Amino acid sequence: MPRKPTIRQTETVARSRLFRIEALELEFANGTVTHYERLAGSGRGAVLIVPVTEADEVLLVREYAAGVHRYELGLPKGRIEGEEPLLEAANREIMEEIGFAASRLEELTSLTLAPGYLGHTTHVVLARGLYPRREPGDEPEELEVVPWPLAAIGELAARPDVTEARTIAALYLSRDRLAREGE
């Protein structure tokens, strides 16, 4: 494994409510000095939850996606608040977004998007043993909950309103985990 570059200097060049852009001066092991920019991560990342019912359906939400200016069908997700334990954050988010809590929560993996310049981690959590429990959330409008058969994930991933890579990856990972458990 090569030695990681040394960060010689870090400067925040822009900041918003959600993002911080950093300029980095890096020195590589071979002596090369170069500059990078990155969107720095904030907090401890986010959770993306795959809530699976006893009928082997996954509960999706339809919500507005400002980045692409349309409604997308995806998995419940949200930021981990402060020192909140990861699995508690996952349970809180599904109570807020789909009106269910889970008696069984399992972290499957952690994902990054564009790690060359984006310092954000999403923790994928499989949620089972769902039971009704609604908590107030911070969504600007009520989210539509859409049940989808886990066996039909291929058809779901082919839809034009299902484009988020984290959602697609999490669905396939969950389907495969559940299939292995059923063997």
Side-chain angles (χ1 to χ4, degrees):
M1 202 64 158
R3 183 172 59 93
K4 290 191 298 186
T6 301
I7 300 175
R8 293 174 45 169
Q9 183 178 2
T10 304
E11 177 186 359
T12 299
V13 296
R15 182 184 300 270
S16 77
R17 182 176 63 84
L18 297 175
F19 302 107
R20 187 175 81 247
I21 300 174
E22 292 180 336
L24 303 175
E25 182 179 272
L26 301 174
E27 182 175 353
F28 286 80
N30 64 4
T32 301
V33 175
T34 190
H35 295 86
Y36 278 70
E37 287 185 352
R38 69 179 177 193
L39 283 171
S42 61
R44 296 180 33 240
V47 288
L48 181 77
I49 307 96
V50 184
V52 178
T53 69
E54 294 297 323
D56 286 331
E57 291 180 321
V58 62
L59 299 180
L60 305 161
V61 293
R62 186 179 321 279
E63 67 181 315
Y64 178 71
V68 291
H69 189 53
R70 66 175 176 252
Y71 281 85
E72 282 274 318
L73 195 54
L75 292 168
K77 60 192 157 299
R79 187 173 60 184
I80 300 169
E81 302 289 344
E83 296 300 315
E84 181 180 38
L86 185 136
L87 296 180
E88 284 181 28
N91 221 15
R92 176 183 50 76
E93 286 295 339
I94 59 173
M95 288 186 280
E96 292 174 359
E97 294 191 7
I98 64 170
F100 284 89
S103 61
R104 292 178 56 202
L105 295 157
E106 174 188 3
E107 182 182 8
L108 296 182
T109 192
S110 295
L111 302 171
T112 61
L113 290 174
Y117 67 90
L118 179 59
H120 177 77
T121 300
T122 299
H123 306 276
V124 177
V125 176
L126 179 60
R128 295 180 273 184
L130 302 179
Y131 57 94
R133 181 161 173 201
R134 169 131 344 246
E135 293 290 333
D138 58 1
E139 305 302 326
E141 64 183 357
E142 189 74 23
L143 300 180
E144 177 187 358
V145 178
V146 179
W148 193 274
L150 202 53
I153 295 303
E155 291 87 355
L156 179 66
R159 290 175 53 115
D161 61 344
V162 179
T163 64
E164 184 191 25
R166 296 179 305 173
T167 286
I168 295 167
L171 288 167
Y172 280 106
L173 288 166
S174 296
R175 183 197 66 184
D176 291 354
R177 167 64 61 87
L178 293 168
R180 283 193 307 274
E181 287 179 5
E183 292 175 350

